[in-house]
Amino acid sequence: MAQYGGLLTTTSGEVWVTANSSPIALQARKTAALQGTSGFNTKVTHTFPSGQPIVAFVHCTVEVEITQMVSGNTITIDFLRPNATGTAYVYFFTIFPQTKPDYGMAVWDASGTLILTHETRTLGDVVTIGTAGVDANSGYNINTTLAGKWACMPVMLGLITGVISAGGQPQPYAAIYKSMAKLEGSNTRIFARPQTTPSGGLQNVANSNMRNDVMAINCPNNESSFSTNNN
């Protein structure tokens, strides 16, 4: 327990002690326009403080392949081959100095860095989708619908392999299952989506399940006045 400072709790009961830790918080929300055209590809990049963790959550209005890469202190979310025209929303969380508000609550750490204000959107109330290690409810078998708008972390959930036999010479086929949070009406479906779809009949199919889970957040709780566009 800290010797001084404030002790705060979230609505779900999580405890945060101001003197000994800095919260991971929403630094930016960026959007990308997706086009349902052949070979379409767009990237959303974000620069975060060097030496700090970075977490991204993604929500899309259409199906699309999502890939995440971190190089130095830049994170890139790559959107490939959407099946229709739509929008992607990316929420970036990291540890960074806060902006001092004109009024309200403000907390500094021992070094004098402003780490929390009443406007800080801390990462909390994260929901786990799936049950890690339980084959029927993990990895590529994840398929859950939640009410409202949700975003999930882009992760690999499994692998599918086979042989495409249609159209002449048989060809090997392999695709990674990626996590996807897609708007469906007023709900969000979180599921595993293969990165590509075979063009012909697929035979000798084999699936490899990573048996992991997916982390998701409720988007309205993380909408921010400092939202930015792509790049």
Side-chain angles (χ1 to χ4, degrees), residues 131-154:
T131 305
V134 179
D135 186 74
N137 189 34
S138 66
Y140 65 71
N141 285 319
I142 289 176
N143 191 348
T144 300
T145 298
L146 302 175
K149 181 181 177 183
W150 292 75
C152 72
M153 294 178 63

Side-chain angles (χ1 to χ4, degrees), residues 24 47-54 70-74 94-96:
I24 187 168
T47 301
F48 58 96
S50 297
Q52 298 296 351
I54 184 71
V70 177
S71 178
N73 65 325
T74 299
T94 187
I95 295 175
F96 61 101

Side-chain angles (χ1 to χ4, degrees), residues 194-219:
Q195 64 186 139
T196 60
T197 302
S199 57
L202 187 63
Q203 298 180 345
N204 300 327
V205 178
N207 291 295
S208 299
N209 194 353
M210 292 193 69
R211 298 188 179 186
N212 52 340
D213 51 32
V214 177
M215 299 300 173
I217 59 171
N218 191 320
C219 295

Side-chain angles (χ1 to χ4, degrees), residues 11 18 21 24-25 61 96 104 117 142 158-159 191 202:
T11 55
T18 64
S21 60
I24 187 168
T61 60
F96 61 101
T117 78
I142 289 176
L159 179 70
F191 63 103
L202 187 63

